[in-house]
Amino acid sequence: INTDDSTALSFKNDYTVTINGTVQNNATGEGDGGYQGTGKNTIEAVSNTTIQVGPAGQILATGDQEGAEAVNLMGYSNQIINNGTIWADTNAAIQFEDSTQGNGSYAQRNIVTNNGTIGRNDTNRAAIGTSGGNGIILENNGTIQGGISLAGGNDSLVFNAGSTVIG
C-alpha cells in the first residue's frame, strides 16, 4: 500500500493488523489528514489495537510533513509487535498521542515489542515518543535508531542482550 500524501490505514478501536509487505506514505502537504486529525500518519488507531509487523514487513513514513508518524496511536491497550521495520524520515517512527486515556491501570498500558528495526533519519530526535497517558512497556530485542522520549505515565523499559539504541 502506498498512499503518497495521505494516511494509509486509520482505525478506531479493537483491530488486529498484520503487515507482511510494505505500508507507506509520503506526506508532504498541508493538512491534518487521517481519521484522527493528528497528521498524515502512515497507520493510526485509537485503542485496543494490535499491529504485527512480520520479518519482511515495513511501515514507512517517507515524507517531510511535521506530525506524520509511521505509527500514531491515540489511546490505550495497544500493542505493536515489530519483527520488520518501522521507519519515519522526519518524525517519530512510533508516537503514542495519548489523547484518549484509560483508567491508568497497568493492564491498559501500550506495549511495544521490537525484534526488528524502529527508527528515523535524525538519531538526535525521538524514534519512539509518548505524550503521557497510561504509559508504555517497551521491550527491545532489536535496533532502535533515534531516542526514546517518555512523558508522564507509568513506563517500563526492557533492553535485552544484543539489543541496540542509537540516539
Side-chain angles (χ1 to χ4, degrees), residues 108-130:
Q108 289 189 335
R109 291 195 289 176
N110 292 303
I111 300 171
V112 177
T113 304
N114 180 41
N115 303 307
T117 300
I118 297 172
R120 64 178 296 155
N121 288 346
D122 184 352
T123 59
N124 293 316
R125 296 183 64 197
I128 300 172
T130 70

Side-chain angles (χ1 to χ4, degrees), residues 25-69:
N25 76 350
N26 185 29
T28 58
E30 296 293 323
D32 291 333
Y35 176 78
Q36 301 304 319
T38 59
K40 297 177 183 177
N41 307 299
T42 306
I43 297 178
E44 62 184 21
V46 180
S47 296
N48 301 309
T49 295
T50 299
I51 299 171
Q52 301 173 5
V53 182
Q58 299 181 91
I59 302 172
L60 308 173
T62 58
D64 60 7
Q65 184 195 47
E66 285 295 324
E69 287 85 19

